[in-house]
Amino acid sequence: MKGLVRLLTVFSLLLGCWGWLGTTQTAQAWDFSHVNLPQTPILAIARQNKADQKLATDFGKKIDLNNTNIARFQGIRGFYPVLAKKIIANAPYAKVEDVLEIEGLSNRQKKLLQNNLSQFTVTTYDAEFNEGDDRINNGIYR
């Protein structure tokens, strides 16, 4: 009797798992070409958030003194981390030249700033780029 129960159990397991044994049926998509569905116009809206809009301006090409992260200053020799930290700490600026009026700058630092003014821009302060401590440490490491 035990042998018969074991045989039936094995047989039912094999029958139940038939799909796993390689005899699966291929899926077939239904052809909608013969059905006339009404055309519904779709309104396409190009959506951009404020950060993406700003990145499309000079902000994305130059270093924005009011909004850029400290890591962007690594590309300019002599700025990172000391001078970059001073620039960020004294923001916001009304115009690029205002960066030359930071108190406590050495003559070398003023000369560095003067020589690199063309790499900077100033835009309005945006919370998207300045919330928390993101300008000093945004969590992106190389």
Side-chain angles (χ1 to χ4, degrees), residues 96-112:
V96 173
E97 291 76 19
D98 290 348
V99 76
L100 297 171
E101 299 172 15
I102 297 175
E103 288 186 33
L105 289 178
S106 68
N107 288 336
R108 180 183 172 276
Q109 289 173 329
K110 286 182 182 179
K111 186 176 180 182
L112 272 171

Side-chain angles (χ1 to χ4, degrees), residues 74-88:
Q74 288 178 335
I76 307 174
R77 188 180 179 112
F79 275 73
Y80 183 83
V82 177
L83 185 53
K85 201 174 216 178
K86 284 183 182 181
I87 292 169
I88 288 173

Side-chain angles (χ1 to χ4, degrees), residues 68-74 80-81 84-85 88 135-137:
T68 300
N69 183 289
I70 194 171
R72 283 286 306 274
F73 289 96
Q74 288 178 335
Y80 183 83
K85 201 174 216 178
I88 288 173
R135 290 192 73 196
I136 300 296
N137 181 4

